[in-house]
Amino acid sequence: MAINITTGSCYRFQILRLNLFMYKYKCVIFDCDGVLVDSEPIGIQILVDLANTYGANIDLAYGMKHFKGSFFNACKNKIGELTETKIPDTLEDDYRQRSFEAFKKEIKPIDGVKAVIESLSIPFCVASSGPESKIKLNLELTGLLPYFNNNIFSCYTIQKWKPDPAVFLFAAKTMGFQPNECVIVEDSLSGVKAAKNGGFDVFGYTKHDYNNELEGLANKTFNSMNMLLEML
């Protein structure tokens, strides 16, 4: 008798098979934007639009290369350099207000990430450059917040930003693990550098890595969440 195995059943089989084997790591630390939630094209387009009101004359491709994964003040300084003007301190408030409204209408989880999270039988958390309020909002809007409880770590809490590894070290310590017991899942160059600077292994998600910046720097790269299941 012929057996028809659909794509969905194959994916569920991968998850089942994953749980039958031991993990290489004891804890998974996820970045948020671009890894758990598909927020970066939305948020960066808004930042690009705001920059262009000051005469930056840039597009989304520029923003994805220069703003992705960066501390907001670094983005603000970059806009100031491009426009040769002093950018007002109100820029961040304007950006947060506009981006939060856009996220409420448009944001979605990264394809397949919920299945990855549900398959994990080891501790995991999220560590992001964004404010905790933004992390929680985006996780809530995409239905992912209940999976993380209080295991949410923000660079704003410790006032240090990637590529400084502090947020990952903070997350690992709070979760009860050493860096060599954890793996970071990142999609930005600054995030991958932060992980390496902290002595972590890091897997680079390349869906929006248009310039192939993560190849050769991350321990492994992948462009689909079903690949991550195998790598773990």
Side-chain angles (χ1 to χ4, degrees), residues 126-145:
V126 56
S128 171
S129 295
E132 188 171 332
S133 58
K134 176 192 174 186
I135 302 170
K136 287 183 175 179
L137 173 67
N138 287 349
L139 292 177
E140 181 179 15
L141 291 171
T142 53
L144 300 177
L145 184 59

Side-chain angles (χ1 to χ4, degrees), residues 106-142:
E106 303 175 43
I107 199 169
K108 297 178 181 179
I110 293 291
D111 288 342
V113 77
K114 185 176 180 180
V116 172
I117 291 170
E118 289 180 341
S119 77
L120 291 175
S121 57
I122 58 174
F124 59 89
C125 63
V126 56
S128 171
S129 295
E132 188 171 332
S133 58
K134 176 192 174 186
I135 302 170
K136 287 183 175 179
L137 173 67
N138 287 349
L139 292 177
E140 181 179 15
L141 291 171
T142 53

